[in-house]
């Protein structure tokens, strides 16, 4: 599989993401990418909302995106960004190249069909001594909210959210893949009352031994 087909979600997401950036998302993305250098691979880059925030020390960015509408938008964003970026059509379970200094997963491990497979692939392509940067919405620690998240995941959420799941324990999956959490923060982040279900977020850096 190299592509996905969520045309409605793709269009809605590209619009909503603008509001997200304006309401605090931009700061999270700066923090996500701060200090990166060398060759970097980003999985599920969407329409490229991170591109403007990569530090100049990043010499090459390979950005992988499976949804055709977002992929085309990411190509344009890459042309505008002050960055040596290539946008490739593909999925997280089969990434191009290897030996990257870092991998970036930004609001995507909620959407891949199999987190373990995607993280094993990131582990493979990031070089030993490299790092994974992550910014993801995750399972709530509050049991009542977690229960609602599980119910949504079994019913409508993946259908309306382009394959998204709101109850994944992504930090545990990152560790299970062999990465070592180095800097890790959990926080609540909402931009409107409708996104309360995906308010719990994690942001950080995990080392690839
Ligand atoms: C919520 S959007 C996030 C986009 C962007 N990374 C961001 O930070 O805003 C989820 C992204 O995951 C992508 N995606 C879904 N399934 C994927 C897969 N199997 N492999 C890679 N990316 C995938 C979607 O096409 C979409 O671009």
């Amino acid at each position: 599989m190299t592509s996905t087909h969520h045309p409605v979600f793709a269009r809605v997401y590209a619009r909503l993401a603008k509001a997200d950036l304006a309401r605090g998302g931009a700061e999270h993305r700066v923090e996500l990418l701060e200090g990166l250098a060398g060759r970097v691979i980003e999985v599920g880059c969407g329409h490229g909302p991170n591109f403007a925030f990569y530090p100049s020390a990043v010499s090459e960015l390979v950005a992988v995106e499976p949804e055709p509408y977002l992929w085309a938008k990411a190509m344009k964003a890459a042309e505008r960004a002050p960055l040596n970026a290539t946008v490739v059509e593909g999925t997280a379970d089969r990434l191009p190249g290897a030996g990257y200094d870092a991998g970036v997963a930004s609001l995507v491990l909620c959407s891949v069909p199999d987190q373990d497979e995607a993280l094993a692939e990131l582990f493979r392509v990031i070089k030993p001594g490299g790092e994974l940067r992550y910014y993801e919405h995750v399972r709530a620690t509050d049991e009542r909210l977690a229960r609602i998240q599980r119910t949504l995941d079994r019913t409508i959420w993946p259908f309306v959210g382009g394959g998204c799941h709101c109850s994944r324990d992504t930090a545990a999956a990152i560790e299970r893949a062999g990465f070592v959490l180095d800097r890790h923060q959990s926080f609540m982040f909402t931009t409107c009352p409708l996104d309360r279900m995906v308010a719990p977020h994690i942001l950080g850096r995990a080392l690839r031994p």
Side-chain angles (χ1 to χ4, degrees):
M1 179 178 78
T2 57
S3 66
T4 58
H5 191 59
H6 298 292
V8 178
F9 170 77
R11 283 161 177 79
V12 173
Y13 184 76
R15 278 170 180 256
L16 291 181
K18 280 191 189 153
D20 172 279
L21 286 181
R23 291 176 186 156
E27 283 78 3
H28 297 155
R29 290 169 194 272
V30 168
E31 204 173 336
L32 169 73
L33 304 173
E34 216 162 42
L36 282 180
R39 296 181 62 236
V40 177
I41 184 163
E42 178 174 344
V43 291
C45 67
H47 55 296
N50 284 331
F51 293 173
F53 302 108
Y54 275 93
S56 58
V58 170
S59 56
E60 181 192 2
L61 172 71
V62 176
V64 179
E65 170 56 43
E67 164 62 43
Y69 175 82
L70 294 172
W71 180 82
K73 279 192 147 323
M75 293 278 281
K76 293 207 173 107
E79 281 164 21
R80 287 192 304 269
L83 186 68
N84 171 23
T86 311
V87 183
V88 180
E89 190 175 2
T91 46
D93 57 324
R94 195 188 283 189
L95 297 174
Y100 294 97
D101 296 292
V104 173
S106 160
L107 304 174
V108 62
L109 293 172
C110 53
S111 298
V112 295
D114 184 329
Q115 276 196 329
D116 288 340
E117 200 175 26
L119 283 160
E121 186 64 351
L122 275 162
F123 193 89
R124 181 185 73 77
V125 300
I126 298 171
K127 71 182 187 191
E131 58 182 287
L132 171 69
R133 297 290 182 95
Y134 54 90
Y135 169 45
E136 296 285 340
H137 67 79
V138 295
R139 174 189 301 177
T141 48
D142 172 70
E143 192 38 47
R144 196 169 150 268
L145 182 54
R147 212 169 32 242
I148 299 170
Q149 288 180 322
R150 284 196 293 277
T151 304
L152 286 171
D153 279 359
R154 282 195 300 268
T155 53
I156 57 164
W157 200 265
F159 295 102
V160 297
C164 178
H165 298 76
C166 46
S167 71
R168 288 184 168 174
D169 186 353
T170 302
I174 291 171
E175 289 189 297
R176 207 160 50 237
F179 292 101
V180 180
L181 299 193
D182 177 48
R183 283 197 309 249
H184 179 80
Q185 35 173 321
S186 309
F187 55 94
M188 300 294 270
F189 176 56
T190 56
T191 55
C192 71
L194 283 178
D195 64 8
R196 219 177 82 74
M197 295 312 147
V198 288
H201 279 67
I202 57 172
L203 191 158
R205 162 174 117 147
L207 304 180
R208 197 274 197 220

